[in-house]
Amino acid sequence: MILASVLTLSMYAQLPILVLVISLVYSATRYDDWGSIFIEAFRWGSRMVVFLVGIGAVLWLLSYLMANPATAP
């Protein structure tokens, strides 16, 4: 039952969970101390979120400019 409800979530609802898990696993491969793992996971997760938001903004801008060529600079 729980698995079925998790699978019905949208891709954007699963993205924060995926970013958290990836950053924790990546940090755990680099460090042995839990404090260092959490600090590096936060840093790495923050960078990943900024990167994904930047890519999203560029793609949105490109789609806007392609949909409205008359208003392009």
Side-chain angles (χ1 to χ4, degrees), residues 3 34-35:
L3 181 62
W34 279 107

Side-chain angles (χ1 to χ4, degrees), residues 15 18-24 26 41-55:
L15 187 61
L18 187 63
V19 168
L20 177 70
V21 169
I22 289 172
S23 62
L24 279 173
Y26 178 79
F42 178 76
R43 289 180 190 158
W44 206 78
S46 300
R47 287 184 217 126
M48 191 184 325
V49 167
V50 169
F51 178 73
L52 291 173
V53 168
I55 287 179

